[in-house]
Amino acid sequence: MSAKKQTFEQEIARLEEIVAALEKGDAPLADSLALFEEGTKLIAACSQELDVAEQKVVKLMKGPDGAPVELPFGEEEQG
């Protein structure tokens, strides 16, 4: 079985479904545990995706020659 990687938005939507099912509270214990485990994995995957996205955020500054220079977001221009 080759499962296609879900998008971040699909993972969040599935996580919302899991939370709603667990909050409802009528699933058998074994099913609730399986949902909890799936939710935990989704949270880890989403967190990792957010970390990667955060690392890609950059601020463009004007360099000494006038050309744009990428700096990590939040880093102040020196000089």
Side-chain angles (χ1 to χ4, degrees), residues 8 46-58 73:
F8 178 80
C46 289
S47 178
Q48 182 179 15
E49 284 188 58
L50 288 173
D51 288 345
V52 168
E54 182 180 18
Q55 292 170 7
K56 290 181 180 179
V57 174
V58 294
F73 187 74

Side-chain angles (χ1 to χ4, degrees), residues 1 3 5 8 14 21-22 29 33 41 44 47 51 56-58 71:
M1 175 171 109
K5 172 80 171 111
F8 178 80
R14 176 61 183 147
L22 289 174
L29 180 61
L33 289 173
K41 289 177 182 177
S47 178
D51 288 345
K56 290 181 180 179
V57 174
V58 294
L71 296 174

Side-chain angles (χ1 to χ4, degrees), residues 21-77:
L22 289 174
E23 285 179 341
K24 196 171 178 185
D26 61 355
L29 180 61
D31 292 347
S32 293
L33 289 173
L35 286 170
F36 181 79
E37 184 178 347
E38 181 184 354
T40 302
K41 289 177 182 177
L42 284 170
I43 289 169
C46 289
S47 178
Q48 182 179 15
E49 284 188 58
L50 288 173
D51 288 345
V52 168
E54 182 180 18
Q55 292 170 7
K56 290 181 180 179
V57 174
V58 294
K59 180 165 69 171
L60 292 177
M61 301 291 293
K62 198 179 274 189
D65 60 356
V69 177
E70 289 184 357
L71 296 174
F73 187 74
E75 186 174 312
E76 298 300 321
E77 184 176 12

